[in-house]
Amino acid sequence: MNDAELLFFEKYPNALPLYEKLKERILDEIPGVQMKVQKTQISFINKHFLLVFRL
């Protein structure tokens, strides 16, 4: 977990465990996935958007 991800969940710490499990599963099962942490969402991307985690 990097600083940008921790900052993203600062206002909603209860959502962090769900995100951690989801992130682990995505990164384990789908090759070539990259993440982009933004102010309002975290995107999981390979050739296309796979998932957007938004609070």
Side-chain angles (χ1 to χ4, degrees):
M1 178 92 37
N2 64 39
D3 290 341
E5 290 171 288
L6 290 173
L7 184 60
F8 182 84
F9 287 97
E10 189 173 59
K11 292 183 182 178
Y12 304 98
N14 292 338
L16 191 55
L18 172 64
Y19 168 74
E20 290 176 316
K21 289 183 185 293
L22 182 63
K23 175 185 171 183
E24 179 182 355
R25 182 119 189 235
I26 289 170
L27 296 179
D28 285 347
E29 294 189 19
I30 304 172
V33 173
Q34 297 191 14
M35 296 174 43
K36 183 176 181 182
V37 180
Q38 299 173 325
K39 184 178 179 179
T40 60
Q41 68 187 33
I42 299 175
S43 302
F44 291 86
I45 307 163
N46 60 8
K47 292 179 182 178
H48 306 284
F49 278 105
L50 295 173
L51 176 87
V52 175
F53 194 94
R54 190 176 285 185
L55 294 176

